[in-house]
Each structure stands twice: as structure tokens, then as C-alpha cells.
Amino acid sequence: MTTPTTGPVHAPAPEPMLQFFAYAHLPEHLKVISAPFCDMAVDLVRDLPRNPERTMALRKLLEAKDCAVRALLYRDAS
């Protein structure tokens, strides 16, 4: 399928990695940080064909999401 503004759109195949982007269970202040990463992960799965590079993109996005959450939770030891 092709859309006029985005080009080819690939049918979303089940992607187990999306489970790690879930944020409904988080407190509100962490949902705000996590939600955009989930949205981007869903977009990647929808718009890109399943292949090793898509998987790597999801892994790196997951790593970035985890870092962003930890940045919010960070407490300086001093």
C-alpha cells in the first residue's frame, strides 16, 4: 500500500519488541517521557520492512528510552 504523503506503508507484522515500549503501567511523570518513544517504535514497525536494521533501530530506540527515563529519575549523589 502507498499513501500520497508517506510513500510505501508496510503491513505491521507482529513485533515482540513493542512490548518493551508499553507505558500504561508507569506513573504519569514517566508516561510523558516514554510515550513519544512508543509512538516512534510503532511508526518504525508500521513504516519499515522487517529486517535486521529495523530490529537494530528498535533496540537503539529502546536504549534511548531507558536512558531518558533514567535521566528523569537521576539523583545526584552529592
Side-chain angles (χ1 to χ4, degrees):
M1 174 167 80
T2 300
T3 66
T5 57
T6 62
V9 175
H10 303 278
E15 175 54 67
M17 283 190 64
L18 287 179
Q19 67 184 307
F20 301 119
F21 292 94
Y23 59 89
H25 64 288
L26 296 174
E28 207 55 45
H29 69 291
L30 297 180
K31 284 181 184 178
V32 173
I33 300 301
S34 295
F37 291 94
C38 179
D39 294 342
M40 182 174 276
V42 169
D43 290 347
L44 290 174
V45 170
R46 181 194 64 223
D47 296 341
L48 298 175
R50 185 179 212 146
N51 59 50
E53 291 303 317
R54 184 183 88 175
T55 300
M56 184 57 68
L58 289 169
R59 287 184 192 281
K60 295 207 178 258
L61 184 62
L62 180 60
E63 183 178 348
K65 185 227 13 150
D66 291 344
C67 290
V69 168
R70 287 192 302 270
L72 185 65
L73 298 172
Y74 183 83
R75 300 291 176 251
D76 196 356
S78 55

